[in-house]
Amino acid sequence: MENNNTTTEEMEQTQGGAYSYTYRALSPEQRKSAERILAEYEPKAQTPLTNFERLQKLQSRITKTLVAFGLTMGIVGCLVFGGGLSMLLLNANVLALQIAGGGLCAVGAAVMLATYPAYQGMQKRLKKKYGDEIVRLCKDVLDEESSQK
């Protein structure tokens, strides 16, 4: 029985009572494919990060956090504002829905207006939290550079 995807072994008894043994291995293309898949799933060895890499990673974490926070808050405010505006415009004959729509518009506008000050506040908190470590890493990186010259 031949299988093109795996190693096969066959053992048959011939008519004279002797045994016949057949072994087939993976083709070179199949072996390369299997090694590529193994490399994808095998755990990678953890190498210690340099000070510069740690600095970049920390700066990236701060930037991504701020962008995600600002976008989320702005988009939520915009969606609430749009929902209120839709209620206001589509329900022209129902006063209660117009009032509710106007209220939602006001809430959405307030959230959008508060996004930038909240972003600045978050930025100050993150700078306070990570600032000492970033300054230390920057000095270490700059000292390493000047000592190499």
Side-chain angles (χ1 to χ4, degrees):
M1 146 174 52
E2 185 174 331
N3 185 346
N4 291 332
N5 295 328
T6 61
T7 301
T8 59
E9 296 180 19
E10 296 177 12
M11 189 165 168
E12 299 175 354
Q13 186 172 9
T14 61
Q15 290 178 349
Y19 286 95
S20 169
Y21 181 77
T22 307
Y23 174 80
R24 291 182 186 90
L26 294 173
S27 70
E29 296 85 24
Q30 291 170 333
R31 177 168 289 286
K32 285 180 184 177
S33 177
E35 288 172 353
R36 193 171 45 250
I37 292 169
L38 176 64
E40 186 176 326
Y41 286 95
E42 200 170 43
K44 309 261 186 299
Q46 294 291 331
T47 58
L49 297 175
T50 64
N51 284 340
F52 185 70
E53 290 170 337
R54 288 182 20 222
L55 179 64
Q56 284 181 320
K57 197 171 186 176
L58 195 56
Q59 179 65 25
S60 175
R61 180 187 310 159
I62 292 170
T63 303
K64 287 178 182 178
T65 301
L66 286 171
V67 167
F69 174 75
L71 282 175
T72 302
M73 193 167 169
I75 289 170
V76 166
C78 189
L79 289 173
V80 170
F81 181 82
L85 191 60
S86 295
M87 285 178 67
L88 189 66
L89 295 174
L90 291 177
N91 298 306
N93 298 332
V94 183
L95 184 63
L97 290 177
Q98 283 185 333
I99 293 172
L104 273 178
C105 281
V107 169
V111 170
M112 286 189 291
L113 288 172
T115 298
Y116 187 65
Y119 176 90
Q120 288 179 322
M122 175 75 88
Q123 189 176 32
K124 281 183 183 177
R125 270 187 268 144
L126 290 174
K127 280 185 177 182
K128 186 176 181 181
K129 181 177 181 181
Y130 295 112
D132 293 336
E133 186 175 357
I134 287 178
V135 168
R136 183 186 58 78
L137 287 171
C138 283
K139 287 181 180 179
D140 288 348
V141 167
L142 294 173
D143 288 343
E144 286 174 8
E145 182 185 34
S146 63
S147 66
Q148 290 177 355
K149 289 183 179 179

